[in-house]
Amino acid sequence: MSQLPQAITDGILGGAVYALMAAGLTLIFGVMDIINIAQGILVVLAAYLSYALSVHLHIDPLLGLLITVPAMFAVGAAIEWAFMRRLRGRERTAMSLLVSYAVAVVIEGALYQVFGANDVAIQAPYVNSGVHVLGFDLPYIYLIGAGLAVVAFAAIYLLLYRTTFGRSVRATMQDKVAARLIGINVNRVAAITFGIGVGVTAAGGMVFGATNAFSPNSGYDLISRLLSIVILGGLGSIGGAAAAALFMVTAEEVVNIWQPVWATAVYYAVLVIVLLVRPVGIFGKPEARSS
Amino acid sequence: MTLHRTRFLSVGITAAVLSAALAACSSSSSPTGGSHAKSPVVIGASLSLTGDFSADGQAFERGYELWAKDQNAAGGLLGHKIVLKFLNDASSPTQAVANYQQLINVDHVTFTIGPFSSLLTGPSAQVAHRYGYALIEGAGGAPSVFATKLNNVFDVSLPVAASTLPLINWIASLPASKRPKTAAFPTSNDPFTQPQIQFAMARLTKLGVKAVYYKVFPEEPTQIKGIADQVAAKRADMVVLGSTAVPTVQGFTQAFIQAGYNPKIFLATAGPDQGAAYLKAVGHLNNDGVMVPNAWYGGSPNPQSKKMVAEYIAQYGGTASGVNADVAEAYSVGQVLTQAVNATRSLSNAKIIAYLHSAVTLSSVQGPVRFDSVGENLAATAFVFQWQKNNFLQVLPPGAGSAAVEYPKAPWGK
């Protein structure tokens, strides 16, 4: 039982990293009804950007976020403009799966061409060091990840609930047609929202790449987990994604103590049970939205 | 609520279509140069060009292509130009089975050679056996591959179960006061790793080394840190890690460093043998003292190996220490096939299977090859290698050509 507190600590810190990666996915769905299957490979792309800046230009990965966050925002806005904006009609959400999957395959292929198949990891002085507090090992990189998650979620909250743009976003989330009628530029809102959703993956990608060896193939495992997180939390719910991410990793860490081979199964069993009872997820809103 | 259920159903159907698309595979044929009057001989393999084993699969591809290029320059197989046909299995055993069925029944390849990892070799061998094809392979050394007693499987590499024996014998040779007292045995749930870890644990326990940790875990990114933290908390003198790939070793290494834990011996069953790929993942300061069992390394004095390594570096760059052991395993497959074809003067799978079962000793870049009745390489010699100051050195068994074991291993970050 003495391992339990450390497992819970690991779970919370690791869960914060996954929350950071899932925030953009659920934001994009919440505003646009688009399930961005490319979110996993975009996290990996962000990790490679941080890695390349670190290895080739010797820019610290944390400092490099000043470059990678705007770069990933631009990538997101470009994907929205080039592909997602063109999806229309009742099957828009389902079609977004296929389109974003195609985008993911293209990005994965490009990463294979540029970086090869071998795994790499981001190195920095704070990646392997940590602090020992009250008997707990707290690696700096996970503390940084948790800090970035808090900042990202606070920023998204403030953006949505304390700005004019946020009002436009929420209006678009509730009813796109009505939003258009009151003069909101829905296309601009969508592009910026998609950009923000992808931009936050820059931070998640940096932390993921510093805590895991990764390759262009890593996106598949990531997207399956990120999707399960946003489905458990409730598609479109930012807070739900955070709660579900913390639950997922903590549950796996705790089951790890006794039966590691069952850890993932236990999490997915909980997911299934929750969806049977509440198909929209823990924090999802059951009301339908206008397209 | 109904609208939502409909939407979820719609998403589910599309997701199913996506899953099918994910399983789709790509293929590539690789003509390898040279002019030959006879029709080409097509040799097929399923390779993990994407997916969890993509780094290994692509290294295998390079090894096969290097062999085919060399052999075509030497006249091909009985004067037939070699053409390689690879199908991507995306690291899936199911897809590997489908690929071998296609290679045999649709593409009508002359020979099949093996995929990467025991996980894929086992079911692939069943397909090849069904159609009377030999499956010469380089990465299917787990006991589960040989347990089916198929007569068509020939593993040119080291049988993995006893791969840690040089380390165990070396520990036994130490004075009792210098031997490690405790050991941890975390292992992934893979047919390649579990037999090695169970063998090592049983033998070391007999030597008086107390097993303080044994757990089987899936190599999932979300679980590795937790398992590694549990191991670090045990503060065992040595860790024998059952790993199949670099990310697992990187995850354990990082967690050990974060926890301030440096075992005296740290051996991983795979990962550290991947040369430059391993160094890039763990960093150039965090590999000193890490061990891995294998039958080959880039600095091998074997003349055939030296020639292959020189060709590899000329084509792909890097250093001898940076050459992935998978390249040599694949190259050895081609060499054994060449010798069997030349000896039988035939492209018949039946004749090649009979020949390889005749207890003949063949040569390869990995050393001698001689098969037993189930296709294990009885002539393979197990070595243990250790990273020392960014050099990959053979340290065990001790003797001519071996460097001294770094024991206890150097602290991390030095």
Side-chain angles (χ1 to χ4, degrees), chain A residues 10 127 210 252-253 256-257 260, chain B residues 51 215 222-223 226 229 254 258:
Chain A
D10 283 352
V127 166
E252 290 195 11
E253 293 284 3
N256 253 350
I257 298 172
Chain B
K215 265 184 191 158
T222 48
Q223 291 184 247
D229 281 348
Q254 186 177 73
Q258 288 169 344

Side-chain angles (χ1 to χ4, degrees), chain A residues 8 33 35 90 164:
Chain A
I8 293 172
D33 276 356
I35 298 176
R90 291 178 58 200
T164 307

Side-chain angles (χ1 to χ4, degrees), chain A residues 2 30 41 51 59 69 107 136-137 146-148 172 178 187 191 193 210 272:
Chain A
S2 61
I41 197 69
Y51 173 79
I59 296 174
V69 171
I107 294 173
F136 296 105
D137 287 317
L148 287 172
T172 307
N187 283 341
T193 304
V272 168

